[in-house]
Amino acid sequence: MDNRYTTAVVITSTYPFGGGTEPVFIDPDVRALAKRFSEVIIVPSRNKGDKIYTQPLPPNVRIDYFWRDNPDNCRDPFRLIRFAPAAMLRSRFWKEPYKIRTITFSVKAHAFARALRKWIRSNGIDTSRTLFISNWFNYVAAAPMLLRRSGIRMVAIDHGRTSSRYPYRALAMRRKASGKLTALYAVSHSRRREICEEIGITPDRVRIRYLGCLDNHDPAPADACGATVFITVCRMEHPKRIAQMRSFMVALAVARTTPVRWIVAGEGALKNELDPAGEKPTNLIIEHLGGLTNDEVHHIYNTRHIDWAILLSDSEGGTPIALCEAIMHGVPIVANDAGGISEIVDDECGLLLPYAPTTEEFVRGIAPMLDSRIRTENLRRGARSRWEAEFDASRRRPQWVNELIEL
């Protein structure tokens, strides 16, 4: 195995535990790493239950719970006050409660660095032959800065953490941490521009990697149901615009005499904005399926006729996995121009609306496509072609691992 590294340590939020999107993009990473590294160690920060939501892991992949089970891994920053830098405790900054997230970031960074140093020593880890991969550009990524003498080589991936989450001093700490990383990746060109503005670094210090998704498409066509069918797969939480998507569906149903069906998969605080029992046109059917596993979402695409995927959002860090999966199934997308969405949606595979679209813009934009079989088929072919060219994870992941080896 021609690789300067023998071990990859992948630090995650919950993977391989829990659901959500993290297993969808980390599982292909782990399997690609396992083909080029002698050992892959997964380090979850926390878990949701005891069940591992993944297929059996390769034999050279193991899970280590040193950080998940560490008593200093907690969400209460006051329990970790001993890790706070003395300058911070002496400053007026400590007396500004609305900036408590900065304190949390700093003390958790010091707590993790301390735990990591102990783990490296107790396990005899050769840091010159080990690559650490943080799947989030969070406090974990500060470890190389705080453990400069350990020779840690770490890669971090930024999925879209914004300045609203990290006030000024935490952003300053991230800027310093970025300079000690072996590589920093953003999951879209849009996110790279944002992070450079947020923490004050130049674009050449941030690499790009599209996550994409694996091929789960069953080419057997599903029978059309006589309705125009839209699907939305997302958390029912801010920044997703649930109420606006519902208003678009209502407006489209009013403009047409044929049925419009909107399938919604997801749970969250905004689910009441779907209001399936409220007033709506008789030809509009809202089908809320609740929270589904990734396999269950693919089952819908493979067994039911879906015309369009729709997603409206206030912000997106990268190219949403849900949209990658839609085009993988050959389903065109209608979405607004937020974050990295414009890097996946264009006229060849869907309808890209302005950031703040009006109902009229949506109806006028999509109506001609619904009434043309030729345009519909071209869009479906274009969607699948876009996925094959840009977002096929089975091709993207090995390329990324090869890039890591050369760092």
Side-chain angles (χ1 to χ4, degrees):
M1 172 178 309
D2 184 17
N3 186 353
R4 62 179 293 180
Y5 303 108
T6 58
T7 304
V9 179
V10 182
I11 304 155
T12 71
S13 178
T14 61
Y15 176 86
F17 298 94
T21 58
E22 195 178 50
V24 177
F25 59 80
I26 294 184
D27 196 67
D29 283 357
V30 168
R31 296 177 190 282
L33 289 165
K35 294 179 180 179
R36 298 299 305 274
F37 287 75
S38 299
E39 182 181 33
V40 177
I41 305 172
I42 304 170
V43 179
S45 299
R46 62 185 190 275
N47 70 276
K48 300 176 181 178
D50 297 325
K51 185 176 181 181
I52 296 180
Y53 289 84
T54 184
Q55 298 295 321
L57 295 170
N60 60 331
V61 177
R62 67 180 178 89
I63 308 170
D64 195 295
Y65 302 106
F66 82 86
W67 180 231
R68 186 201 70 172
D69 296 340
N70 192 298
D72 292 331
N73 182 9
C74 65
R75 298 195 175 191
D76 180 3
F78 296 100
R79 288 183 56 190
L80 303 177
I81 197 65
R82 64 186 182 280
F83 295 115
M88 177 179 289
L89 297 180
R90 290 194 301 266
S91 70
R92 290 177 55 196
F93 178 75
W94 174 252
K95 300 176 182 180
E96 300 175 7
Y98 69 94
K99 292 185 177 179
I100 194 70
R101 285 174 178 163
T102 296
I103 300 170
T104 303
F105 186 95
S106 177
V107 297
K108 291 205 74 169
H110 283 80
F112 175 77
R114 178 175 179 271
L116 180 61
R117 179 174 55 196
K118 182 178 179 180
W119 179 76
I120 289 172
R121 291 175 177 175
S122 62
N123 287 271
I125 301 295
D126 182 357
T127 55
S128 67
R129 301 283 287 167
T130 301
L131 183 64
F132 295 83
I133 303 170
S134 173
N135 273 281
W136 304 95
F137 185 32
N138 56 6
Y139 65 88
V140 169
M145 177 183 69
L146 299 174
L147 301 176
R148 288 187 290 269
R149 296 180 181 179
S150 299
I152 292 175
R153 299 180 64 83
M154 179 176 286
V155 169
I157 305 166
D158 186 283
H159 292 275
R161 307 233 178 214
T162 64
S163 55
S164 63
R165 292 181 58 89
Y166 296 130
Y168 171 73
R169 292 207 178 185
L171 291 174
M173 190 172 185
R174 294 175 89 210
R175 179 172 61 252
K176 293 179 181 178
S178 70
K180 300 300 181 181
L181 292 170
T182 303
L184 173 60
Y185 285 88
V187 292
S188 69
H189 291 272
S190 171
R191 181 54 197 159
R192 177 166 66 178
R193 289 191 296 270
E194 290 173 354
I195 193 172
C196 288
E197 293 173 1
E198 287 171 6
I199 64 176
I201 60 176
T202 56
D204 60 289
R205 289 174 56 184
V206 185
R207 299 167 181 252
I208 300 293
R209 67 164 304 208
Y210 286 143
L211 298 175
C213 63
L214 297 173
D215 192 356
N216 286 284
H217 180 54
D218 182 352
D223 294 333
C225 62
T228 302
V229 182
F230 292 79
I231 187 170
T232 297
V233 181
C234 70
R235 291 190 298 273
M236 303 285 107
E237 299 172 355
H238 179 79
K240 303 301 186 282
R241 301 178 184 175
I242 307 303
Q244 187 177 32
M245 284 189 277
R246 184 185 188 278
S247 70
F248 280 14
M249 294 294 101
V250 169
L252 184 63
V254 169
R256 303 181 69 80
T257 58
T258 54
V260 175
R261 180 182 292 272
W262 183 28
I263 300 172
V264 183
E267 282 289 348
L270 300 182
K271 67 179 181 181
N272 291 335
E273 294 186 2
L274 294 172
D275 193 21
E279 283 191 26
K280 62 180 185 293
T282 56
N283 61 331
L284 173 61
I285 303 147
I286 299 177
E287 187 178 348
H288 182 211
L289 303 180
L292 300 181
T293 66
N294 192 247
D295 288 340
E296 289 170 333
V297 171
H298 289 303
H299 181 73
I300 292 173
Y301 276 112
N302 285 325
T303 59
R304 300 180 63 171
H305 179 79
I306 306 294
D307 293 292
W308 287 83
I310 179 170
L311 181 67
L312 302 178
S313 182
D314 287 338
S315 64
E316 290 291 340
T319 51
I321 295 293
L323 299 188
C324 292
E325 292 179 339
I327 61 172
M328 178 270 294
H329 286 287
V331 174
I333 297 165
V334 55
N336 67 320
D337 188 1
I341 288 179
S342 62
E343 297 173 40
I344 186 173
V345 183
D346 61 15
D347 293 343
E348 294 183 359
C349 63
L351 173 63
L352 182 64
L353 298 169
Y355 174 77
T358 64
T359 301
E360 183 179 3
E361 286 173 324
F362 166 70
V363 174
R364 285 189 175 183
I366 204 166
M369 303 180 188
L370 300 181
D371 296 327
S372 172
R373 178 182 292 272
I374 294 177
R375 292 187 71 174
T376 298
E377 290 304 317
N378 286 340
L379 285 171
R380 297 185 78 89
R381 284 193 293 269
R384 178 70 183 184
S385 296
R386 173 60 54 83
W387 172 81
E388 291 173 345
E390 299 289 344
F391 298 100
D392 181 356
S394 65
R395 180 175 58 86
R396 282 278 179 185
R397 292 314 199 273
Q399 291 175 348
W400 178 63
V401 172
N402 290 338
E403 185 176 317
L404 293 180
I405 293 171
E406 299 299 323
L407 292 175

